[in-house]
Each structure stands twice: as structure tokens, then as C-alpha cells.
Amino acid sequence: AQKITQTQPGMFVQEKEAVTLDCTYDTSDQSYGLFWYKQPSSGEMIFLIYQGSYDEQNATEGRYSLNFQKARKSANLVISASQLGDSAMYFCAMNGGGADGLTFGKGTHLIIQP
Amino acid sequence: NAGVTQTPKFQVLKTGQSMTLQCAQDMNHEYMSWYRQDPGMGLRLIHYSVGAGITDQGEVPNGYNVSRSTTEDFPLRLLSAAPSQTSVYFCASSYSWEMNTEAFFGQGTRLTVV
């Protein structure tokens, strides 16, 4: 069984500051993938970034980077230079060796203040 | 470029009624899945399919039925709606079930059972 823990239910951050959203995971799979999705108030799920368990480099996509620490089982999302449009729910998720979909955390509600 | 299309976007049902949530994708993806999102719970997998004619249960399958007669369509049937099925439902598709594959989500269906 897989488990994702997001310990920050909500965060307030000033515009232009960097943001770190925490994610820890638990799995018995040797190979797995870690994902971050953004859900704005309009409700859709937007893929942000992916990290494979065997990837040696941390994933980056524009202003998003994933701070992957395998020994600590953490996969934190870092948003550099936050913008008002970054205000949303953020979900960490993972999948493993089987076909049984993604396991999601409960999410972090990020609010960017001007 | 439609991606994953869910219909309807909103639905109110009476307890005991049945209905089908429609999901269609135009990306020729083999893997499709249904999730429900409840407040404070993240997304949980209901059913999934690795290809036409093949379906399996996820974490919370009770009260739901699926079929996959074509690659494009993956409808979710509520057999006898209950208030506990009030939720937001997301359909997702991906190229394959393998761990490094991004899932594309539909816009969601907000279902209320009274």
C-alpha cells in the first residue's frame, strides 16, 4: 500500500517569495513515480511536475522544482518567485509498480498575498 | 484539442436513482480511471481500466460500476445513489499505467445526492 502525507493544510505566502510545499510518502515498491498537481478554484487538475524514483537529478519545470530526498521519502514542491495566479490547492501523488492509479495526499491550500 | 471530456458538469440526484457519468478521451490512451474527491480527503480511485474490455476496482468501488467497450469511452454508473456519493468525480486518462506517465484529468462532475 502507498501513502502520501501533506502536513500543511494551508499556507499564506507573500507574492514573489519562494514557496516550499511538503510531501512525504511511504511505499514498499522499489520503482515509483511522484507527481504534483495544481487545482485552482475553477476545479480542474493541472499536472505540474514528475519525479521518478530512479532519477538522479531533481525534476524542474519552469518555476517549479521537486526537491526529491529518497532516503527521507520526501518530494517537496518548490515554487520560485510566487505569483498571485499560484493561489490554488496543490496535491502530491504517487504511483508504483501496479496499474492501480495514483495515490493522492490531502492537499495544501496555498494563498499568495500581494 | 478536447483531451478528456466529462458530462455532465453538475447533477442532482434523489436517493435511489441511478445515473451514468460519461467520460471520453481523444488521445488514444490505453489507461483510464475514475476518482472521487471529497473535502479534506484528496482524490481516491474508484475504478480503472488498462484497455478496452478490461476493468478493475480501485480503493472505493462500492456502489459504482464501469465498463470499457471502446478505447475512447469509460462511463461510470451509479447503481442506486446514496447521499454518501455526494462528491466531485474526476475521470483521468494516460498513455499507459506505467509509473512515469502523466494523467490527464477531465473538468470534473459535481454530484449531489439528496
Side-chain angles (χ1 to χ4, degrees):
Chain A
Q2 298 165 343
K3 184 176 180 180
I4 295 282
T5 302
Q6 294 181 253
T7 57
Q8 306 152 309
M11 287 184 70
F12 288 87
V13 173
Q14 289 295 119
E15 189 180 8
K16 299 180 184 173
E17 288 184 351
V19 181
T20 298
L21 304 181
D22 294 339
C23 172
T24 58
Y25 61 91
D26 193 21
T27 181
S28 56
D29 292 322
Q30 294 299 309
S31 298
Y32 48 89
L34 295 154
F35 301 80
W36 277 92
Y37 281 85
K38 173 184 179 181
Q39 186 178 43
S41 57
S42 51
E44 71 268 32
M45 297 290 288
I46 301 168
F47 167 76
L48 295 177
I49 198 166
Y50 165 82
Q51 177 86 41
S53 59
Y54 287 110
D55 293 340
E56 294 186 353
Q57 304 248 359
N58 286 342
T60 59
E61 290 285 350
R63 293 187 300 114
Y64 304 107
S65 61
L66 198 152
N67 185 0
F68 180 47
Q69 298 187 42
K70 194 170 183 177
R72 293 187 174 186
K73 293 189 174 180
S74 76
N76 298 340
L77 177 71
V78 180
I79 307 174
S80 63
S82 57
Q83 302 171 356
L84 296 178
D86 294 331
S87 295
M89 283 291 292
Y90 288 81
F91 290 96
C92 181
M94 73 178 300
N95 60 7
D100 50 349
L102 292 165
T103 299
F104 283 84
K106 295 183 178 182
T108 295
H109 189 194
L110 176 65
I111 297 174
I112 307 298
Q113 297 176 313
Chain B
N1 210 8
V4 180
T5 302
Q6 287 183 237
T7 54
K9 288 187 170 52
F10 301 93
Q11 183 70 50
V12 179
L13 284 181
K14 293 183 179 178
T15 298
Q17 287 184 317
S18 63
M19 79 159 294
T20 299
L21 307 185
Q22 301 292 344
C23 176
Q25 52 92 8
D26 61 359
M27 297 173 282
N28 202 31
H29 285 170
E30 289 297 320
Y31 188 86
M32 296 186 75
S33 51
W34 277 100
Y35 294 84
R36 61 177 288 173
Q37 182 179 23
D38 302 301
M41 294 291 292
L43 278 74
R44 293 181 293 167
L45 183 68
I46 304 171
H47 284 285
Y48 64 93
S49 169
V50 298
I54 306 169
T55 64
D56 207 343
Q57 297 180 351
E59 180 186 354
V60 288
N62 292 341
Y64 307 96
N65 212 348
V66 292
S67 60
R68 183 98 179 268
S69 56
T70 67
T71 298
E72 294 78 21
D73 300 301
F74 190 44
L76 178 72
R77 279 180 280 277
L78 279 70
L79 309 173
S80 177
S84 61
Q85 293 178 303
T86 294
S87 189
V88 180
Y89 292 84
F90 286 96
C91 179
S93 77
S94 53
Y95 177 73
S96 82
W97 57 266
E98 292 181 355
M99 63 181 186
N100 62 344
T101 307
E102 170 194 349
F104 294 83
F105 284 82
Q107 296 278 23
T109 296
R110 185 174 294 274
L111 176 68
T112 302
V113 182
V114 298

